[in-house]
Amino acid sequence: MPLFLQPILKEKPWGGQRLGEFGYTLSHDHIGECWCVSAHPNGKSIITNEPYQGQTLDQVWAEHRELFGDFPSKDFPLLTKIVDAQESLSVHVHPDDSYAYEHEYGQYGKSECWYIIDATEGAQIVIGTELQSREQFEAHIEAQTVEEGLRYIDVKSGDFYFIPAGSVHTLTAGILAYETMQSSDITYRVYDYNRQAQYQVDRPLEIEKALDVIEYNAPLPNIVPETEIIENHKCTHIVSNDFFTLVKWEVSGTLNYMKPREFCLVTVLAGEGQVIVDGAIFKLTMGTSFILTSEDLDSVFEGDFTLMISYI
Protein backbone atom coordinates (compact mmCIF):
# COMPACT_ATOMS: atom_id res chain seq x y z
CA MET A 1 0.00 0.00 0.00
CA PRO A 2 1.48 3.41 -0.91
CA LEU A 3 2.06 5.93 1.87
CA PHE A 4 0.18 9.16 1.06
CA LEU A 5 1.50 12.21 2.88
CA GLN A 6 0.05 15.45 4.20
CA PRO A 7 1.98 18.50 2.93
CA ILE A 8 3.96 20.51 5.49
CA LEU A 9 3.80 24.25 4.76
CA LYS A 10 6.56 26.52 6.03
CA GLU A 11 6.23 30.27 6.56
CA LYS A 12 9.24 32.20 5.24
CA PRO A 13 9.80 35.97 5.01
CA TRP A 14 10.67 35.52 1.32
CA GLY A 15 7.65 33.30 0.55
CA GLY A 16 4.42 34.11 -1.27
CA GLN A 17 1.09 32.55 -2.24
CA ARG A 18 1.94 30.43 -5.28
CA LEU A 19 1.89 27.14 -3.37
CA GLY A 20 -1.87 27.57 -3.33
CA GLU A 21 -1.76 26.62 -7.01
CA PHE A 22 -1.03 23.05 -5.90
CA GLY A 23 -4.25 22.84 -3.92
CA TYR A 24 -2.62 23.51 -0.56
CA THR A 25 -4.47 25.63 2.00
CA LEU A 26 -2.22 28.53 2.93
CA SER A 27 -2.48 30.00 6.42
CA HIS A 28 -0.19 32.98 5.85
CA ASP A 29 0.71 35.50 3.16
CA HIS A 30 4.33 34.35 3.08
CA ILE A 31 4.42 30.57 2.61
CA GLY A 32 7.81 29.73 1.15
CA GLU A 33 8.05 25.95 1.24
CA CYS A 34 5.97 22.81 1.02
CA TRP A 35 7.84 19.84 2.45
CA CYS A 36 6.32 17.13 0.28
CA VAL A 37 8.06 14.07 1.72
CA SER A 38 9.99 14.39 4.97
CA ALA A 39 10.95 12.42 8.04
CA HIS A 40 13.19 15.20 9.34
CA PRO A 41 12.61 16.35 12.95
CA ASN A 42 11.91 19.90 11.72
CA GLY A 43 9.02 18.70 9.56
CA LYS A 44 7.59 15.18 9.83
CA SER A 45 5.17 14.09 7.12
CA ILE A 46 1.94 12.56 8.44
CA ILE A 47 0.53 9.57 6.59
CA THR A 48 -3.07 10.09 5.49
CA ASN A 49 -4.18 6.57 4.50
CA GLU A 50 -4.55 3.21 6.22
CA PRO A 51 -3.02 1.14 7.70
CA TYR A 52 -0.61 3.79 9.06
CA GLN A 53 -2.96 6.78 9.00
CA GLY A 54 -1.96 9.47 11.52
CA GLN A 55 1.56 8.15 12.03
CA THR A 56 4.60 10.18 11.05
CA LEU A 57 6.97 9.01 8.36
CA ASP A 58 9.90 8.77 10.77
CA GLN A 59 7.82 6.51 13.02
CA VAL A 60 6.91 4.16 10.16
CA TRP A 61 10.55 4.23 8.99
CA ALA A 62 11.71 3.14 12.45
CA GLU A 63 9.04 0.50 13.08
CA HIS A 64 8.40 -0.94 9.60
CA ARG A 65 11.73 -0.89 7.80
CA GLU A 66 10.54 -3.78 5.66
CA LEU A 67 8.40 -1.25 3.72
CA PHE A 68 11.66 0.33 2.55
CA GLY A 69 13.54 -2.83 1.67
CA ASP A 70 15.31 -2.85 5.04
CA PHE A 71 17.31 0.16 3.86
CA PRO A 72 20.44 0.31 6.06
CA SER A 73 20.45 4.02 6.92
CA LYS A 74 19.50 4.99 10.47
CA ASP A 75 17.46 7.97 9.25
CA PHE A 76 15.16 8.37 6.27
CA PRO A 77 17.62 9.61 3.62
CA LEU A 78 15.65 12.01 1.38
CA LEU A 79 13.56 15.17 1.59
CA THR A 80 11.56 16.78 -1.22
CA LYS A 81 10.12 20.30 -1.36
CA ILE A 82 8.34 22.81 -3.54
CA VAL A 83 9.74 26.32 -3.02
CA ASP A 84 8.03 29.64 -3.80
CA ALA A 85 10.63 32.41 -3.89
CA GLN A 86 8.48 35.54 -3.95
CA GLU A 87 11.64 37.34 -2.82
CA SER A 88 15.25 36.19 -2.90
CA LEU A 89 16.30 33.54 -0.40
CA SER A 90 19.33 34.16 1.78
CA VAL A 91 22.76 33.55 0.30
CA HIS A 92 23.73 30.33 2.06
CA VAL A 93 25.66 27.08 1.94
CA HIS A 94 25.26 23.54 3.29
CA PRO A 95 27.98 21.27 4.70
CA ASP A 96 28.89 17.84 3.39
CA ASP A 97 28.32 14.65 5.38
CA SER A 98 31.72 14.61 7.08
CA TYR A 99 31.51 18.22 8.30
CA ALA A 100 27.89 17.78 9.44
CA TYR A 101 28.76 14.58 11.26
CA GLU A 102 31.55 16.30 13.18
CA HIS A 103 29.97 19.70 13.83
CA GLU A 104 26.20 19.04 13.74
CA TYR A 105 25.74 16.04 16.01
CA GLY A 106 25.96 13.34 13.38
CA GLN A 107 23.38 14.75 10.98
CA TYR A 108 23.42 14.40 7.21
CA GLY A 109 25.06 17.09 5.15
CA LYS A 110 23.08 18.44 2.24
CA SER A 111 23.57 18.09 -1.46
CA GLU A 112 20.43 19.08 -3.34
CA CYS A 113 19.01 19.87 -6.75
CA TRP A 114 16.55 22.33 -8.25
CA TYR A 115 14.08 21.70 -11.03
CA ILE A 116 12.70 25.09 -12.12
CA ILE A 117 8.91 24.76 -12.36
CA ASP A 118 8.40 28.41 -13.30
CA ALA A 119 10.46 31.59 -13.43
CA THR A 120 9.65 35.19 -14.22
CA GLU A 121 11.59 36.93 -16.97
CA GLY A 122 15.03 37.86 -15.72
CA ALA A 123 14.97 35.47 -12.75
CA GLN A 124 18.35 34.12 -11.66
CA ILE A 125 19.89 31.59 -9.35
CA VAL A 126 23.28 31.60 -7.68
CA ILE A 127 25.49 28.53 -7.62
CA GLY A 128 29.03 29.07 -6.41
CA THR A 129 31.41 31.98 -6.30
CA GLU A 130 34.06 33.29 -8.67
CA LEU A 131 36.26 34.19 -5.70
CA GLN A 132 39.46 32.21 -5.25
CA SER A 133 39.81 31.93 -1.48
CA ARG A 134 38.27 32.15 1.96
CA GLU A 135 40.12 35.42 2.52
CA GLN A 136 38.55 37.02 -0.57
CA PHE A 137 35.05 35.88 0.41
CA GLU A 138 35.53 37.07 3.99
CA ALA A 139 36.62 40.49 2.71
CA HIS A 140 33.37 40.78 0.71
CA ILE A 141 31.37 39.85 3.80
CA GLU A 142 33.09 42.55 5.85
CA ALA A 143 32.54 45.12 3.08
CA GLN A 144 28.89 44.00 2.68
CA THR A 145 29.49 43.28 -1.01
CA VAL A 146 28.79 39.54 -0.94
CA GLU A 147 26.53 39.74 -4.01
CA GLU A 148 29.42 40.98 -6.16
CA GLY A 149 31.39 37.76 -5.78
CA LEU A 150 28.64 35.29 -6.68
CA ARG A 151 28.07 33.27 -9.85
CA TYR A 152 24.66 34.24 -11.31
CA ILE A 153 22.78 32.09 -13.83
CA ASP A 154 19.67 33.09 -15.79
CA VAL A 155 16.95 30.46 -15.52
CA LYS A 156 13.68 29.53 -17.18
CA SER A 157 10.94 26.95 -16.70
CA GLY A 158 12.22 23.39 -17.18
CA ASP A 159 15.85 24.09 -16.22
CA PHE A 160 17.68 21.83 -13.77
CA TYR A 161 20.68 22.42 -11.52
CA PHE A 162 22.57 20.24 -9.05
CA ILE A 163 23.95 22.01 -5.96
CA PRO A 164 26.61 19.92 -4.23
CA ALA A 165 27.39 20.53 -0.57
CA GLY A 166 29.83 23.39 -0.26
CA SER A 167 28.32 25.46 -3.09
CA VAL A 168 27.13 28.86 -1.90
CA HIS A 169 23.75 29.40 -3.56
CA THR A 170 20.34 31.07 -3.61
CA LEU A 171 17.13 31.45 -5.58
CA THR A 172 16.27 35.02 -6.52
CA ALA A 173 12.76 36.47 -6.64
CA GLY A 174 10.22 35.05 -9.05
CA ILE A 175 11.15 31.35 -9.04
CA LEU A 176 9.02 28.30 -8.28
CA ALA A 177 11.21 25.23 -7.84
CA TYR A 178 11.02 21.56 -6.94
CA GLU A 179 13.85 20.34 -4.70
CA THR A 180 15.20 16.90 -4.00
CA MET A 181 17.87 16.71 -1.30
CA GLN A 182 19.48 14.75 1.44
CA SER A 183 17.34 14.79 4.57
CA SER A 184 19.00 17.76 6.21
CA ASP A 185 17.98 21.21 7.41
CA ILE A 186 21.46 22.58 8.11
CA THR A 187 21.88 26.02 6.54
CA TYR A 188 24.76 28.43 7.03
CA ARG A 189 23.62 31.91 5.94
CA VAL A 190 26.23 34.44 4.87
CA TYR A 191 23.89 37.23 3.70
CA ASP A 192 20.17 37.77 4.32
CA TYR A 193 19.23 41.25 3.06
CA ASN A 194 18.94 42.58 6.65
CA ARG A 195 15.80 40.52 7.25
CA GLN A 196 16.39 40.12 10.99
CA ALA A 197 15.84 43.84 11.48
CA GLN A 198 13.21 44.24 8.75
CA TYR A 199 10.94 41.37 9.77
CA GLN A 200 12.00 40.87 13.42
CA VAL A 201 12.71 37.20 12.71
CA ASP A 202 15.36 34.89 14.11
CA ARG A 203 17.51 34.11 11.06
CA PRO A 204 21.09 34.08 12.36
CA LEU A 205 24.11 34.21 10.09
CA GLU A 206 26.68 31.41 10.45
CA ILE A 207 29.69 33.13 8.91
CA GLU A 208 32.53 31.04 10.33
CA LYS A 209 30.94 27.68 9.52
CA ALA A 210 29.98 28.92 6.06
CA LEU A 211 33.56 30.00 5.37
CA ASP A 212 34.73 26.58 6.54
CA VAL A 213 32.64 24.64 4.04
CA ILE A 214 32.40 26.87 0.94
CA GLU A 215 34.16 25.47 -2.14
CA TYR A 216 35.82 28.54 -3.65
CA ASN A 217 35.85 28.95 -7.43
CA ALA A 218 34.50 25.41 -7.90
CA PRO A 219 33.28 24.62 -11.44
CA LEU A 220 29.54 24.53 -12.09
CA PRO A 221 28.36 20.90 -12.04
CA ASN A 222 27.79 19.91 -15.67
CA ILE A 223 24.71 17.68 -15.61
CA VAL A 224 22.63 17.29 -18.77
CA PRO A 225 19.27 15.54 -18.33
CA GLU A 226 18.55 12.77 -20.83
CA THR A 227 15.08 12.18 -22.27
CA GLU A 228 13.60 9.02 -23.77
CA ILE A 229 10.12 7.88 -24.79
CA ILE A 230 8.78 4.87 -22.85
CA GLU A 231 5.32 3.48 -23.66
CA ASN A 232 4.64 6.78 -25.50
CA HIS A 233 5.42 8.78 -22.35
CA LYS A 234 8.27 11.26 -21.96
CA CYS A 235 10.78 10.17 -19.33
CA THR A 236 13.58 12.58 -18.40
CA HIS A 237 16.48 11.21 -16.33
CA ILE A 238 17.43 14.41 -14.57
CA VAL A 239 20.23 13.39 -12.22
CA SER A 240 21.69 10.31 -10.59
CA ASN A 241 24.51 10.32 -8.03
CA ASP A 242 25.46 8.89 -4.65
CA PHE A 243 22.82 10.99 -2.89
CA PHE A 244 19.68 10.60 -5.03
CA THR A 245 18.22 9.93 -8.44
CA LEU A 246 15.51 12.20 -9.86
CA VAL A 247 13.33 11.35 -12.87
CA LYS A 248 10.53 13.38 -14.44
CA TRP A 249 7.67 11.51 -16.10
CA GLU A 250 5.19 13.28 -18.39
CA VAL A 251 2.34 10.78 -18.55
CA SER A 252 -0.51 10.88 -21.02
CA GLY A 253 -2.64 7.74 -20.91
CA THR A 254 -1.50 4.57 -19.16
CA LEU A 255 1.97 3.88 -17.82
CA ASN A 256 2.91 0.52 -16.34
CA TYR A 257 5.53 1.64 -13.86
CA MET A 258 8.23 -0.66 -12.55
CA LYS A 259 9.93 0.67 -9.43
CA PRO A 260 13.70 0.93 -9.92
CA ARG A 261 14.37 0.60 -6.18
CA GLU A 262 12.63 -0.75 -3.08
CA PHE A 263 10.94 2.60 -2.38
CA CYS A 264 10.33 5.73 -4.45
CA LEU A 265 9.13 9.23 -3.58
CA VAL A 266 6.49 10.64 -5.94
CA THR A 267 5.04 14.16 -6.30
CA VAL A 268 2.46 15.24 -8.88
CA LEU A 269 3.66 18.59 -10.23
CA ALA A 270 0.87 19.10 -12.76
CA GLY A 271 -2.32 17.46 -14.01
CA GLU A 272 -4.41 14.71 -12.49
CA GLY A 273 -5.31 11.05 -12.80
CA GLN A 274 -4.94 7.95 -10.69
CA VAL A 275 -2.49 5.29 -9.67
CA ILE A 276 -3.56 1.66 -9.38
CA VAL A 277 -1.37 -0.26 -6.95
CA ASP A 278 -1.92 -4.01 -6.68
CA GLY A 279 -5.56 -3.42 -7.71
CA ALA A 280 -6.30 -0.53 -5.32
CA ILE A 281 -7.14 2.80 -6.99
CA PHE A 282 -5.89 6.13 -5.64
CA LYS A 283 -6.82 9.52 -7.11
CA LEU A 284 -3.93 11.83 -7.93
CA THR A 285 -4.18 15.60 -8.17
CA MET A 286 -1.63 18.37 -8.54
CA GLY A 287 0.41 18.60 -5.34
CA THR A 288 -0.16 15.00 -4.18
CA SER A 289 2.89 13.26 -2.72
CA PHE A 290 3.32 9.63 -1.74
CA ILE A 291 5.83 6.80 -1.36
CA LEU A 292 5.69 3.57 -3.30
CA THR A 293 6.96 0.98 -0.82
CA SER A 294 8.71 -2.34 -1.27
CA GLU A 295 5.31 -4.04 -0.91
CA ASP A 296 3.85 -2.14 -3.90
CA LEU A 297 4.67 -4.57 -6.68
CA ASP A 298 2.31 -3.58 -9.51
CA SER A 299 1.83 0.15 -10.18
CA VAL A 300 -0.11 1.65 -13.09
CA PHE A 301 -0.45 5.40 -13.65
CA GLU A 302 -3.47 6.59 -15.63
CA GLY A 303 -4.18 10.21 -16.58
CA ASP A 304 -2.43 13.29 -17.82
CA PHE A 305 0.14 14.55 -15.37
CA THR A 306 3.78 15.34 -14.62
CA LEU A 307 5.44 13.24 -11.93
CA MET A 308 8.71 13.82 -10.11
CA ILE A 309 10.06 10.50 -8.83
CA SER A 310 13.15 10.27 -6.63
CA TYR A 311 15.00 7.41 -4.96
CA ILE A 312 18.43 6.34 -3.76
Side-chain angles (χ1 to χ4, degrees):
M1 190 73 66
L3 304 175
F4 283 83
L5 305 167
Q6 181 177 321
I8 303 166
L9 300 177
K10 296 279 189 174
E11 181 184 342
K12 301 287 182 178
W14 42 260
Q17 288 284 289
R18 292 203 62 184
L19 291 177
E21 298 173 13
F22 293 87
Y24 307 141
T25 301
L26 308 186
S27 59
H28 193 277
D29 290 339
H30 300 285
I31 300 298
E33 295 180 345
C34 171
W35 290 24
C36 302
V37 180
S38 171
H40 193 276
N42 292 349
K44 301 178 181 181
S45 294
I46 296 175
I47 296 163
T48 61
N49 63 311
E50 295 292 348
Y52 305 105
Q53 185 173 10
Q55 297 184 38
T56 57
L57 179 56
D58 65 317
Q59 179 182 353
V60 174
W61 173 262
E63 298 176 0
H64 299 280
R65 192 62 63 86
E66 71 279 2
L67 296 176
F68 308 93
D70 293 315
F71 193 84
S73 171
K74 173 180 175 289
D75 300 312
F76 190 82
L78 296 178
L79 197 160
T80 62
K81 300 179 183 179
I82 302 173
V83 178
D84 174 17
Q86 184 71 22
E87 299 179 12
S88 297
L89 279 63
S90 67
V91 178
H92 59 276
V93 66
H94 308 297
D96 62 14
D97 285 341
S98 60
Y99 190 94
Y101 185 85
E102 181 178 354
H103 297 275
E104 303 292 348
Y105 308 102
Q107 297 184 63
Y108 286 119
K110 189 198 286 191
S111 287
E112 61 185 314
C113 63
W114 291 330
Y115 172 78
I116 307 300
I117 302 170
D118 192 28
T120 59
E121 185 175 352
Q124 295 180 309
I125 62 173
V126 166
I127 302 180
T129 172
E130 307 288 357
L131 303 177
Q132 303 294 320
S133 67
R134 176 185 180 127
E135 290 73 24
Q136 285 186 333
F137 203 98
E138 191 168 20
H140 276 275
I141 292 174
E142 292 175 357
Q144 299 185 8
T145 57
V146 169
E147 293 173 279
E148 295 179 8
L150 304 176
R151 180 191 292 135
Y152 289 88
I153 303 166
D154 295 329
V155 294
K156 63 184 184 306
S157 174
D159 286 350
F160 167 80
Y161 292 91
F162 174 60
I163 303 96
S167 294
V168 62
H169 59 283
T170 192
L171 296 168
T172 66
I175 295 176
L176 191 67
Y178 179 81
E179 290 189 359
T180 296
M181 67 199 72
Q182 293 178 270
S183 182
S184 173
D185 199 28
I186 303 170
T187 295
Y188 302 148
R189 299 183 188 91
V190 295
Y191 180 66
D192 197 31
Y193 309 93
N194 198 33
R195 286 195 175 108
Q196 279 200 338
Q198 182 180 358
Y199 293 100
Q200 301 297 306
V201 291
D202 182 22
R203 289 171 59 85
L205 303 180
E206 297 259 22
I207 301 296
E208 288 303 314
K209 287 183 176 180
L211 291 170
D212 282 346
V213 304
I214 290 174
E215 295 287 340
Y216 300 98
N217 200 30
L220 185 69
N222 183 22
I223 296 174
V224 180
E226 297 181 356
T227 298
E228 61 179 325
I229 303 300
I230 301 176
E231 296 184 21
N232 296 318
H233 310 287
K234 188 176 180 181
C235 174
T236 303
H237 301 271
I238 295 179
V239 64
S240 187
N241 53 41
D242 291 341
F243 307 108
F244 44 70
T245 292
L246 178 62
V247 180
K248 179 176 74 167
W249 282 90
E250 295 168 80
V251 177
S252 181
T254 300
L255 169 65
N256 295 288
Y257 183 69
M258 182 175 295
K259 291 198 317 294
R261 288 301 304 266
E262 292 84 352
F263 67 99
C264 298
L265 287 57
V266 185
T267 295
V268 182
L269 277 194
E272 61 182 17
Q274 62 186 21
V275 61
I276 305 170
V277 181
D278 298 329
I281 300 174
F282 303 92
K283 183 179 179 181
L284 300 179
T285 58
M286 183 174 173
T288 301
S289 293
F290 59 98
I291 299 173
L292 290 171
T293 74
S294 62
E295 295 182 353
D296 300 326
L297 304 179
D298 182 23
S299 302
V300 179
F301 291 101
E302 294 181 346
D304 290 281
F305 37 54
T306 299
L307 307 173
M308 303 301 280
I309 301 181
S310 54
Y311 50 90
I312 297 294

